[in-house]
Amino acid sequence: MARTSFLQSADAPNPSRIQRLERFLFRRRSPNTAPTFAAQSVLDPRVFQQNDEGSGSFGRWILDEAGLPAYEYQLDQYSDPRAIYPNTEELDRRDHWHQVGNQRITAMASNDGTIQVYQGDRGGVFLNRFEAWEFDRPNFRISSWLYSLLRRIIQFVAKLLIRPQSTLKPQATAQLRAMSADVPGTLPPRGFAPPEMLAQISNQPLTMLSAQSATPRTVLKRDPATARYAHAGGFGYVDNGNEVWGTAFRYRPQGADTRRIFGIGYFESETTYQNIRVVRRVYAPYGNDPTLIADIQIENLGDNPVDLRHYEYWDVNICQLQLEWLRSGGFGMTSDANRRTVNKYFTSSVEWDEANCALRFKQKLRQPPPPQARPPDEPSDIDWDPANVFLADLSGKPDAFYVNKSAFFGTGGARQPDAVRQRKPGDTVDVLVTGDPMPYCLVMRRDLSLQPGERKSLRYAYGTTRPNGTLGFLDRYRQPTDHFNQTLATWKDHLAYFCTGEDPVLHREMAWHAYNMLSAVVYLDFYKTHVVPQGSAYLYLHGADGAPRDQALFALPASYIDPPLARDMLRLIMQITDVHTGQISYSFAGHGFLSDGMGVYSNPSDLDLFFLLALCEYLAATGDYAFLDEHVPFYPPSESPPGVTVLDHVNKAVRHLFEVNGIGENDLIKVGTNDWSDSIVTETALQFGLGFAAAYTNSKQHGESIPNTQMALYVLPLLAAILKDRDPQLVDYIYDTPNQPGRLERLRLALQDQWNANGWYNRAILRDSQNRRRVVDHFSLEAQVWALISGIAADHGKESELIEKVDQILDRPSPIGGTLIPEGMVWPAISQLLTWGYARANRTQLAWRSLNRNTFAMHSHVYPDIWFNTWSGPDGINGRSAELPGGTWFSPLTPMTDFPVMNANQDAMALLGMLRVCGIEPSFSGDGLVIRPHVPRERFILDMPLLRLEVTPERIALRYCPIVTGNRRFYIHHSMGNVIVKVNDQTVSADHQDDQVVVQVQFEKDQVVNIEVTPA
């Protein structure tokens, strides 16, 4: 069937929308705004222009007081049905949230005005999980039992079918990633397990939701204020003597004026009522302190003095995210019930810390402990030594505090708590005797007198500390310093800035993506590393993170934005590599707890390649070759040989790839349990019905992967070039062994046979139940991007034809980026690799279009009534043929619809696409970076913490900020003819090669190097 472009399709927008869309597709600015923007921004990329393009229906993009992008949320979600979004529990959900975080703590600030707090130090845990809607669900007494039974059946059958194939030592109750189908019979690439497999082996139909849209059958109405006491907190109550009201939008009084801002590093809310204005800023101070700071300003706008009581409210509702791999619909409710039982293993109490003006919540393991309890330093999917949770008054001493949750709210509920409206004097910290394992809240009252026009400020801290830890780190926040603006100033120094003078959306979004990625960081105490989690439903619903391919992808842009973070993610991948098998674990959770998905993903074949890819990028960008000698243990560390280095891990990964995973009879790298696509083996095996188990086993043992083979031909030559002086024996092994002479050349030749008559590369060669070859030849973008990036398509003389097919069938028809399959879903982890592939093929306009189409702004313009992908998004977006275009997916395992934001793929891959369009990538000489811009603009600036690149027709300027002492070569491409090269204002000799100049520099750590190339 002939396909037309989006602008030519039958449902194309009207001409005015077409004109606006063209601006999004190619970033053409209107003439009347371009000069002003260029004058401000090209000279200083940290100066943003006010631009609200791509705001969607829920608010507008603004510039905050610090001149940084922020989203002002303006919709009244309780009166506007556009706020409702599909979810597998079929609830009337209207909560939309924004991520606020630093390197130790993550907050989810909702349009409701509530704030949930997450920490991952010793396993994922919500400190104050919001559950106010739990009892508005229908009565699930029978259904809940059936879901629990079905859950046990699925787990039992999966263990019988799959577990014997596992090679990982840790025993897992594990988390599986799952993805829904782009089209019937075809599963997308990046999930924790195939939903159809579990449906078939459990003999249960998938009747809950449509596989594409997750449109609810019935919407259950819910009062935004319920009698349930788990209200999360992050807001306050005001009592002016005549009336009581809450400052959260969810509990605001009728007639109040409100404002909500989602900003870089903060959530700001403003409530004005009865001539009292309360402005709250909740932010995570930049750095490693596990705390949020709440700055509150209370102002009397009236003509008369007023006496007020202000109550700062934060809940304690601990929810340890013990691994649960069935999360959709009723499965989610049963797994939530399982997680609640964890708190019954502990006794809880609250203490008053006089020295720090803090309430401190503690959990202590009951005696005798349950049989499954482990010592604090041993791996476990439950934290048996949980942190304390505190609320501290940083601006004085409270006049009273309240800790009894049921007594505080009483019959008045969240709108009119009994303790506030009855002016109760406050609580003591006596141990509460109750059947509720979470009976406590943390509330502090301050009594204030305000003259007309007077403002008073309060400051609180909410966070965690170790059971024996002190709160001394809070002292710095008690000082009369403007910590909020200090936090914003620090964020400014850690963002990514990209400006051309004509593209304010890209300018805004790249800074925003950098914030999203860095503010998602968590600390893993078992591994002593910080890491960017994949996030979304995987982390915050399942309770698992992975696969390490994602951390490897995140490490690519992190090498330029935060090199120590990239190094930490590499350390993590090495530390979850099995000491005996060399297999990198599929997922990690809890405190040092690993999972291979109950054996379904016991040996994914792509993880070695992704680890090596990330390592190559880090070394090429930083020159940190000393990292190769750093000691990093295998897993478990107690069994790892002493003195294992990073270079040992590299050797192990290469040999594991070739000797354990291996090369198949078609001279392609084997697929194992899966490659990029977690479902590539199982989806094919399922087509054989009763022969599923045999087809799965045969494909796992003998199947071969085209994307892995293509990727290897990019990664391995680059690795060999980087290590040629450090490990020549490994370099020889990569290219040639006695048993496999000319190994890489054989891979290259084998891929020629995978070019099919349709004009694209096959996806895989798998096996049926009789072990016969089964070629998977559908058009998948997974099997094309690395053919472009590695240059294989060009070597085969197929590059132009392949690009034409990809553009015509997968990319051009989709307004929001290249789809995985025709009319399928868009996965940024693949579509932004296409941006890179276009750039590598010197298709500048296509690379530029791809970068722009993958923006949040483009999604919000095409799908303005879908809240996610406005400021944050999931890992996959429905294509135009779906029942809910622009929405996201669900499966019986993974309800991405229920947590459709905070997935780092969106952010990291946008930053990677930007880097590649700017022409920055490792040199295949192995000693530095190539600078070959693919930006169709006369001038641009890319400014990141590691480097700053400024390009004009008359000048290329590079500022490099080394993190180590060493040297790098920069291969700078230009069109200026004969040029002069200066390093730190000194003219130097350089290697001139046609349109390229090679500049070698040596540097000391933290010594800024400035390189300038100008016409002679």
Side-chain angles (χ1 to χ4, degrees):
M1 181 178 67
R3 293 177 174 84
T4 58
S5 75
F6 178 65
L7 297 180
Q8 297 170 330
S9 62
D11 57 343
N14 59 46
S16 62
R17 286 196 67 200
I18 290 177
Q19 192 174 42
R20 187 169 169 83
L21 264 173
E22 285 178 338
R23 290 173 62 195
F24 276 109
L25 298 181
F26 301 103
R27 310 306 318 147
R28 292 175 183 157
R29 296 293 304 151
S30 2
N32 61 333
T33 61
T36 302
F37 181 54
Q40 289 180 344
S41 298
V42 170
L43 295 176
D44 186 353
R46 299 191 178 199
V47 175
F48 292 90
Q49 181 200 25
Q50 169 57 43
N51 181 278
D52 63 0
E53 291 186 34
S55 293
S57 300
F58 305 94
R60 68 187 186 102
W61 285 101
I62 63 170
L63 295 182
D64 64 15
E65 295 174 7
L68 288 169
Y71 191 82
E72 182 177 4
Y73 191 97
Q74 298 175 322
L75 193 77
D76 180 351
Q77 66 265 29
Y78 298 117
S79 63
D80 195 320
R82 290 177 296 180
I84 302 172
Y85 59 99
N87 60 90
T88 64
E89 294 182 277
E90 302 182 349
L91 292 172
D92 175 21
R93 287 192 61 175
R94 300 164 184 251
D95 55 318
H96 310 155
W97 60 95
H98 165 59
Q99 176 180 281
V100 175
N102 58 21
Q103 293 185 317
R104 286 294 295 280
I105 203 163
T106 308
M108 300 165 196
S110 173
N111 56 356
D112 291 345
T114 61
I115 299 175
Q116 298 181 81
V117 183
Y118 172 91
Q119 193 171 24
D121 286 30
R122 295 177 52 84
V125 56
F126 281 105
L127 308 182
N128 60 338
R129 187 171 189 257
F130 185 91
E131 294 185 295
W133 55 58
E134 293 291 317
F135 291 94
D136 296 304
R137 289 168 168 169
N139 190 331
F140 273 107
R141 290 176 184 170
I142 296 178
S143 298
S144 186
W145 179 84
L146 291 174
Y147 273 114
S148 296
L149 178 61
L150 176 57
R151 178 174 168 271
R152 292 178 180 272
I153 292 172
I154 291 173
Q155 290 176 327
F156 177 74
V157 174
K159 286 180 180 180
L160 288 180
L161 289 176
I162 305 301
R163 189 63 193 179
Q165 303 297 329
S166 177
T167 60
L168 287 185
K169 292 176 69 67
Q171 295 180 352
T173 57
Q175 166 61 42
L176 303 177
R177 288 171 66 193
M179 296 289 170
S180 64
D182 267 325
V183 294
T186 303
L187 294 175
R190 308 188 58 75
F192 270 105
E196 285 80 359
M197 177 187 77
L198 292 173
Q200 290 190 25
I201 64 178
S202 65
N203 198 29
Q204 297 293 325
L206 305 182
T207 57
M208 185 164 31
L209 298 176
S210 157
Q212 283 289 348
S213 68
T215 303
R217 294 177 312 197
T218 309
V219 174
L220 304 171
K221 294 183 178 179
R222 174 174 89 242
D223 183 349
T226 74
R228 177 69 178 175
Y229 300 139
H231 298 288
F235 57 92
Y237 292 96
V238 176
D239 171 17
N240 68 353
N242 298 314
E243 196 169 346
V244 167
W245 65 92
T247 64
F249 187 86
R250 188 181 185 92
Y251 310 119
R252 71 198 187 283
Q254 186 175 2
D257 291 330
T258 61
R259 192 171 188 234
R260 292 158 288 172
I261 305 294
F262 296 159
I264 287 179
Y266 69 95
F267 170 57
E268 179 178 319
S269 62
E270 182 178 316
T271 306
T272 303
Y273 185 70
Q274 295 280 334
N275 287 324
I276 301 299
R277 178 161 59 202
V278 179
V279 179
R280 296 180 58 88
R281 284 173 171 166
V282 178
Y283 55 98
Y286 195 95
N288 210 41
D289 287 339
T291 187
L292 298 176
I293 303 297
D295 283 345
I296 300 104
Q297 186 180 88
I298 305 174
E299 182 178 6
N300 179 8
L301 302 178
D303 298 327
N304 300 307
V306 61
D307 293 326
L308 297 176
R309 290 185 170 191
H310 176 269
Y311 298 75
E312 180 71 6
Y313 162 67
W314 292 83
D315 191 27
V316 180
N317 184 30
I318 303 296
C319 178
Q320 289 204 38
L321 299 182
Q322 185 181 16
L323 277 170
E324 292 286 351
W325 55 276
L326 289 170
R327 281 297 312 184
S328 288
F331 291 125
M333 284 176 278
T334 59
S335 68
D336 285 347
N338 289 338
R339 287 169 174 168
R340 290 189 191 98
T341 65
V342 172
N343 289 322
K344 295 181 180 179
Y345 298 135
F346 301 90
T347 58
S348 59
S349 62
V350 171
E351 297 178 358
W352 171 249
D353 183 340
E354 180 71 28
N356 291 290
C357 288
L359 291 167
R360 190 158 169 163
F361 169 85
K362 298 183 175 182
Q363 283 183 297
K364 185 177 181 181
L365 190 62
R366 292 181 182 273
Q367 298 298 322
Q372 66 268 40
R374 296 289 179 267
D377 59 341
E378 290 188 8
S380 174
D381 62 340
I382 292 176
D383 180 9
W384 299 104
D385 188 31
N388 294 176
V389 181
F390 66 81
L391 176 66
D393 191 325
L394 301 180
S395 55
K397 185 175 181 179
D399 294 288
F401 57 76
Y402 305 80
V403 297
N404 187 326
K405 194 181 301 189
S406 62
F408 180 77
F409 288 108
T411 60
R415 292 192 185 278
Q416 296 285 307
D418 282 3
V420 180
R421 63 188 175 92
Q422 295 174 13
R423 296 200 153 198
K424 292 184 177 181
D427 294 340
T428 62
V429 289
D430 298 332
V431 174
L432 299 179
V433 179
T434 171
D436 185 352
M438 287 289 117
Y440 294 103
C441 60
L442 305 178
V443 184
M444 292 182 175
R445 191 189 86 213
R446 292 289 290 273
D447 301 339
L448 307 171
S449 295
L450 293 175
Q451 296 299 313
E454 186 180 5
R455 301 176 183 175
K456 287 192 176 179
S457 298
L458 305 173
R459 176 174 290 170
Y460 298 91
Y462 178 80
T464 68
T465 188
R466 296 303 305 147
N468 296 321
T470 73
L471 296 178
F473 70 92
L474 294 177
D475 289 346
R476 69 177 67 96
Y477 304 112
R478 299 181 194 276
Q479 306 302 319
T481 305
D482 189 347
H483 289 286
F484 173 70
N485 282 312
Q486 192 176 75
T487 293
L488 295 189
T490 309
W491 270 116
K492 281 185 177 182
D493 292 334
H494 290 82
L495 300 178
Y497 299 91
F498 174 72
C499 69
T500 67
E502 303 177 59
D503 304 283
V505 166
L506 285 178
H507 192 195
R508 175 185 76 212
E509 288 212 10
M510 293 309 162
W512 191 264
H513 282 305
Y515 165 72
N516 274 352
M517 187 177 78
L518 296 178
S519 64
V521 168
V522 297
Y523 179 71
L524 303 180
D525 183 66
F526 187 86
Y527 307 105
K528 308 303 180 190
T529 63
H530 291 90
V531 63
V532 177
Q534 190 183 12
S536 64
Y538 307 124
L539 182 66
Y540 299 110
L541 296 183
H542 287 302
D545 204 4
R549 70 175 70 97
D550 296 287
Q551 276 70 45
L553 285 172
F554 306 159
L556 301 182
S559 295
Y560 304 87
I561 296 174
D562 190 338
L565 175 61
R567 188 169 56 229
D568 255 14
M569 286 191 280
L570 289 166
R571 289 189 184 110
L572 172 70
I573 296 172
M574 289 182 277
Q575 289 185 80
I576 62 173
T577 301
D578 187 88
V579 65
H580 302 288
T581 67
Q583 178 66 55
I584 299 172
S585 177
Y586 180 76
S587 65
F588 49 95
H591 182 60
F593 185 77
L594 302 185
S595 169
D596 63 0
M598 295 177 64
V600 178
Y601 306 117
S602 58
N603 60 309
S605 60
D606 61 318
L607 301 185
D608 296 319
L609 288 168
F610 274 99
F611 162 59
L612 297 173
L613 170 72
L615 180 68
C616 287
E617 190 85 33
Y618 173 76
L619 294 176
T622 66
D624 182 15
Y625 292 107
F627 181 55
L628 294 170
D629 300 316
E630 183 178 311
H631 291 178
V632 180
F634 287 98
Y635 187 92
S638 60
E639 299 179 28
S640 181
V644 174
T645 68
V646 173
L647 192 56
D648 292 331
H649 280 274
V650 174
N651 273 270
K652 189 85 166 183
V654 173
R655 284 171 165 76
H656 181 270
L657 175 69
F658 285 130
E659 296 173 13
V660 179
N661 183 73
I663 295 176
E665 66 179 38
N666 297 284
D667 279 344
L668 302 170
I669 291 176
K670 287 185 178 180
V671 74
T673 51
N674 56 286
D675 54 15
W676 292 30
S677 171
D678 291 330
S679 302
I680 187 66
V681 176
T682 49
E683 75 172 76
T684 305
L686 280 170
Q687 299 174 20
F688 295 96
L690 293 177
F692 155 72
Y696 175 85
T697 300
N698 291 337
S699 291
K700 174 186 171 182
Q701 293 177 351
H702 304 289
E704 297 166 75
S705 167
I706 280 84
N708 277 4
T709 309
Q710 295 168 336
M711 184 180 180
L713 289 171
Y714 172 83
V715 173
L716 295 178
L718 179 59
L719 178 69
I722 290 173
L723 296 182
K724 61 182 181 292
D725 296 326
R726 285 301 312 270
D727 196 338
Q729 186 176 358
L730 177 61
V731 172
D732 291 342
Y733 174 83
I734 288 172
Y735 280 100
D736 203 1
T737 66
N739 294 331
Q740 293 181 324
R743 177 155 42 202
L744 296 191
E745 184 59 27
R746 286 172 55 202
L747 296 180
R748 189 181 305 276
L749 292 173
L751 284 170
Q752 279 187 297
D753 296 334
Q754 302 311 314
W755 179 265
N756 63 46
N758 298 310
W760 57 73
Y761 287 96
N762 296 327
R763 176 61 184 80
I765 300 177
L766 302 180
R767 301 300 180 107
D768 65 14
S769 57
Q770 303 300 313
N771 205 25
R772 294 170 298 199
R773 282 170 34 110
R774 180 180 179 90
V775 177
V776 182
D777 61 358
H778 66 262
F779 194 15
S780 169
L781 190 58
E782 285 177 303
Q784 319 310 320
V785 289
W786 283 104
L788 297 174
I789 293 168
S790 66
I792 292 299
D795 289 349
H796 295 163
K798 303 296 185 182
E799 184 178 78
S800 295
E801 183 179 355
L802 180 59
I803 288 176
E804 183 180 352
K805 287 285 187 181
V806 169
D807 178 38
Q808 177 187 355
I809 299 174
L810 301 180
D811 194 7
R812 196 187 316 161
S814 170
I816 58 171
T819 58
L820 183 69
I821 61 174
E823 300 184 357
M825 296 182 70
V826 176
W827 300 85
I830 308 298
S831 62
Q832 291 284 18
L833 288 180
L834 177 60
T835 305
W836 182 9
Y838 283 149
R840 287 277 290 169
N842 289 315
R843 300 300 181 93
T844 296
Q845 290 294 337
L846 292 178
W848 186 247
R849 186 188 69 185
S850 180
L851 182 69
N852 279 278
R853 284 189 171 185
N854 276 278
T855 57
F856 287 153
M858 191 63 182
H859 182 276
S860 294
H861 181 68
V862 179
Y863 306 111
D865 295 338
I866 296 177
W867 73 275
F868 49 86
N869 263 51
T870 301
W871 58 85
S872 183
D875 63 346
I877 302 296
N878 291 344
R880 296 177 64 237
S881 65
E883 188 174 333
L884 182 63
T888 193
W889 58 276
F890 101 104
S891 77
L893 282 81
T894 303
M896 190 59 67
T897 51
D898 298 9
F899 204 107
V901 291
M902 293 171 62
N903 188 287
N905 274 293
Q906 291 264 15
D907 305 302
M909 297 309 291
L911 294 166
L912 179 63
M914 175 194 64
L915 279 162
R916 297 319 195 220
V917 164
C918 290
I920 299 171
E921 60 180 293
S923 164
F924 272 83
S925 299
D927 54 4
L929 294 172
V930 172
I931 311 293
R932 188 201 303 262
H934 302 279
V935 176
R937 296 288 186 261
E938 288 190 348
R939 61 191 71 237
F940 72 87
I941 295 177
L942 172 65
D943 191 354
M944 308 176 89
L946 185 70
L947 57 79
R948 183 184 192 271
L949 175 65
E950 182 175 355
V951 176
T952 73
E954 304 83 19
R955 178 175 176 264
I956 296 177
L958 178 69
R959 184 185 67 203
Y960 184 72
C961 305
I963 64 167
V964 297
T965 297
N967 62 82
R968 292 285 77 196
R969 276 195 175 101
F970 296 97
Y971 297 79
I972 302 173
H973 292 252
H974 63 87
S975 58
M976 293 181 283
N978 295 328
V979 295
I980 297 173
V981 179
K982 291 183 177 181
V983 176
N984 293 335
D985 294 326
Q986 299 295 316
T987 301
V988 299
S989 60
D991 182 9
H992 297 262
Q993 303 171 1
D994 298 327
D995 65 343
Q996 174 186 271
V997 60
V998 182
V999 185
Q1000 181 168 354
V1001 295
Q1002 295 191 0
F1003 41 75
E1004 300 292 325
K1005 180 181 178 181
D1006 299 326
Q1007 172 198 0
V1008 176
V1009 177
N1010 291 293
I1011 301 171
E1012 185 178 54
V1013 180
T1014 56

